[in-house]
Amino acid sequence: MADDHGALLTSVARMYYLDGLGQSEIANIFGISRSTVSRLLTAARQRGVVRISVDDYDPRDHDLEHMLATAFGLRRSVVVRVQDGSSEVSRRTVAYFGAPVVAEWFHAQRSIGVSGGRTVAQLIHFIRPQTQAHHVDVVQLMGSIGSTPSSIESSELCRTLARRFQGSFHTINAPAFMDSQRNRDLLISHAQIKAVWNLLPSLDMTVVGIGTLEDSVFIERQVLSPEDYELLRRQGAVGEICGRYFDTKGRECDTPLRDQVISVELDLLRNNTEVVAVTSGAGRKDALTAAMRGGLVHSLVIDDTGARALLSGS
């Protein structure tokens, strides 16, 4: 009986892996269920009947990494090769292959600040401790974008990261933008928020996304109005980090919005031990160049298309 089972196991594996038959077709041939075929294929891999090998592949372009670090004075750079696809495909690919590297960086840190954003969210989704998880303080860098928490909110990403690294989560229970400077100042003077605020200057590492004036989650979600957008455009805004808009020299734009936003200040990022920007695509070129030239970004995780765009204009 055992020999019969072994023969079935081998036959099913050969039909599936070498002959290219589908699981349903194999099930019909042997008069068994599709779920049984699936279990047999799993057993074939576990017992070594099927041994799968994949050619070595390095997802990183080390030449581009060296060129970026040299051109912009970066401390560390990760450039991920991305196949042609949508911006969402690029974000997921950069996040998947960049996550193990960033996880290694985390292990040397005691406190980490995290922004919100689509690419940062993808990175946190894939990130796992590379060795035994250790206690780390994870600090929210900005208030909430919307009234309904989403998967790209800083609060959600910090909570996830703290859980995986068996650490503490420090949250800012506030919106990203207030309707006036007075109300903003009153809110951040609250003891609960002030306690988190006092942690921001001493963070060991921060992870941030890079927005542009044209592609901003704040405008997309109507947190900022068309009038706000036009004001920022007139002030020369080219990029955004944590809801703070900056010009081509990395200086925060002088608009009322800078006194209404609840997020880490750009000067604190400049003085931070290490700010890691995670982004993708050529469309971030001007914003990212300004951030790096202005000392807002010290290390970078990006796709090869975005890296080449940066180097073409450097």
Side-chain angles (χ1 to χ4, degrees):
M1 182 67 70
D3 288 342
D4 290 344
H5 182 75
L8 178 61
L9 197 72
T10 304
S11 296
V12 167
R14 178 181 181 85
M15 288 178 171
Y16 185 76
Y17 288 106
L18 297 183
D19 300 339
L21 273 63
Q23 292 187 24
S24 296
E25 191 172 2
I26 295 171
N28 288 333
I29 291 173
F30 287 108
I32 56 180
S33 68
R34 189 178 182 279
S35 61
T36 299
V37 172
S38 179
R39 287 195 296 271
L40 287 168
L41 291 172
T42 299
R45 292 193 296 272
Q46 292 173 342
R47 298 180 188 182
V49 174
V50 173
R51 295 175 293 277
I52 299 174
S53 64
V54 179
D55 289 344
D56 287 340
Y57 172 72
D58 190 346
R60 294 171 58 181
D61 191 318
H62 296 281
D63 289 338
L64 283 178
E65 290 176 357
H66 177 72
M67 293 167 68
L68 274 183
T70 301
F72 294 99
L74 294 172
R75 186 171 302 165
R76 297 187 266 204
S77 62
V78 175
V79 176
V80 176
R81 296 185 176 97
V82 174
Q83 305 301 317
D84 292 338
S86 66
S87 58
E88 184 62 24
V89 169
S90 294
R91 277 194 289 268
R92 285 198 300 266
T93 306
V94 167
Y96 180 80
F97 288 112
V101 183
V102 177
E104 289 182 3
W105 299 348
F106 283 175
H107 278 285
Q109 316 305 327
R110 297 183 304 276
S111 59
I112 299 168
V114 180
S115 77
R118 291 165 292 189
T119 309
V120 176
Q122 291 286 356
L123 180 85
I124 300 302
H125 173 75
F126 289 117
I127 211 161
R128 297 291 186 278
Q130 296 300 292
T131 58
Q132 185 176 358
H134 71 294
H135 179 88
V136 61
D137 287 327
V138 183
V139 182
Q140 186 177 341
L141 292 180
M142 57 187 289
S144 300
I145 299 171
S147 58
T148 304
S150 72
S151 60
I152 69 170
E153 292 278 9
S154 176
S155 58
E156 298 301 306
L157 303 182
C158 289
R159 182 179 291 107
T160 298
L161 193 63
R163 187 185 307 119
R164 290 194 186 144
F165 282 79
Q166 299 178 9
S168 300
F169 165 41
H170 302 271
T171 181
I172 300 174
N173 291 312
F177 282 92
M178 295 296 289
D179 56 0
S180 69
Q181 180 181 356
R182 177 180 178 276
N183 287 337
R184 194 282 304 264
D185 292 345
L186 282 172
L187 192 56
I188 63 176
S189 67
H190 188 282
Q192 185 178 5
I193 294 180
K194 193 172 183 179
V196 180
W197 215 251
N198 291 338
L199 297 174
L200 298 179
S202 58
L203 294 173
D204 295 319
M205 177 177 283
T206 58
V207 179
V208 302
I210 303 289
T212 68
L213 194 57
E214 294 76 19
D215 186 9
S216 167
V217 68
F218 295 101
I219 294 173
E220 176 185 300
R221 294 195 176 186
Q222 298 181 334
V223 176
L224 300 183
S225 67
E227 291 75 23
D228 292 328
Y229 172 89
E230 182 59 27
L231 178 60
L232 288 166
R233 187 189 65 78
R234 290 199 305 269
Q235 289 293 320
V238 296
E240 168 265 318
I241 295 176
C242 293
R244 295 190 179 272
Y245 288 83
F246 52 86
D247 62 18
T248 56
K249 295 184 178 180
R251 301 171 304 193
E252 189 165 4
C253 294
D254 187 13
T255 74
L257 293 172
R258 70 182 298 176
D259 297 319
Q260 295 170 226
V261 64
I262 298 179
S263 73
V264 63
E265 296 179 2
L266 296 187
D267 283 343
L268 285 183
L269 290 179
R270 285 190 182 88
N271 296 324
N272 189 256
T273 302
E274 184 165 14
V275 179
V276 180
V278 184
T279 189
S280 65
R284 296 292 192 271
K285 180 185 74 172
D286 292 341
L288 193 47
T289 298
M292 290 188 292
R293 295 299 191 201
L296 300 174
V297 169
H298 308 128
S299 296
L300 178 61
V301 180
I302 195 170
D303 63 320
D304 52 347
T305 300
R308 290 192 181 90
L310 285 170
L311 290 168
S312 70
S314 65

